[in-house]
Amino acid sequence: MNLLPLLLTLLPGAALAAAPAAPSPLKLTASTSVVTKTTKDGKTTETLTDASRVGVVPGTTLDLAQTFQNVSARELGGLKLSMPVDKAVIFQSAGCTVAGVTTLYSVDGKTFGPAPLKKTVTVTENGRQVQKQVEVKPSEYRAVRWEIPTLKAGASGRCAVRATVR
């Protein structure tokens, strides 16, 4: 826990010498790629192209990825990697290359749970208003969170969301 903000709040007149920030033990890189599938001789191949280099139009499938590496000499634990799903895209799927990861989803970007998510809706049955629990469609997901229990020293991984441009 970083106590510096608390100390600055409690000691408003105190002058603290700034210590050099420790390097992060986790190197994180985000990318957005266009997914292109081609079929040749019955085999489908997938190509990822940096989205800034090609046109993105409605119907384009995107790969929204976060790659990460533990650059420290020790194991990291309790990592939570979150990715918002913009309203300009329709969520399709999520995946992660790290063993033991738990993938959670959200419709509001604040509360997360395992799929399938549920919501309460009010419907009319036999002339009466009734509340029912129904499954949330994946297209309604607005965020994904991957909880990574441990990442060994030097280990790396990739977590990604597939989405279609509206």
Side-chain angles (χ1 to χ4, degrees):
M1 181 169 134
N2 184 356
L3 296 178
L4 184 58
L6 178 62
L7 287 173
L8 291 176
T9 302
L10 295 174
L11 306 169
L16 297 174
S24 173
L26 193 66
K27 179 182 176 186
L28 184 64
T29 306
S31 64
T32 301
S33 302
V34 171
V35 179
T36 306
K37 292 184 179 183
T38 54
T39 303
K40 184 177 179 181
D41 299 328
K43 292 186 178 184
T44 301
T45 306
E46 197 173 88
T47 305
L48 299 179
T49 306
D50 185 330
S52 67
R53 297 179 185 208
V54 295
V56 176
V57 296
T60 300
T61 300
L62 299 177
D63 181 84
L64 310 164
Q66 295 183 2
T67 55
F68 49 91
Q69 180 180 14
N70 179 352
V71 293
S72 74
R74 62 181 176 85
E75 184 175 89
L76 300 175
L79 299 174
K80 291 181 181 181
L81 185 64
S82 295
M83 180 181 293
V85 177
D86 194 276
K87 290 181 180 182
V89 298
I90 302 166
F91 173 88
Q92 298 297 323
S93 64
C96 194
T97 62
V98 178
V101 69
T102 300
T103 305
L104 304 172
Y105 305 89
S106 175
V107 293
D108 62 8
K110 298 174 188 168
T111 56
F112 289 83
L117 295 179
K118 302 277 187 179
K119 67 179 176 181
T120 303
V121 296
T122 303
V123 295
T124 303
E125 287 184 356
N126 300 324
R128 292 185 26 203
Q129 298 281 336
V130 180
Q131 290 191 334
K132 287 190 162 190
Q133 286 280 315
V134 297
E135 275 190 25
V136 174
K137 295 176 188 169
S139 62
E140 297 177 60
Y141 294 172
R142 291 286 136 245
V144 178
R145 174 177 292 156
W146 295 277
E147 295 183 353
I148 303 166
T150 58
L151 188 63
K152 295 182 181 184
S156 61
R158 180 180 192 275
C159 296
V161 165
R162 288 288 171 101
T164 305
V165 177
R166 291 185 189 269

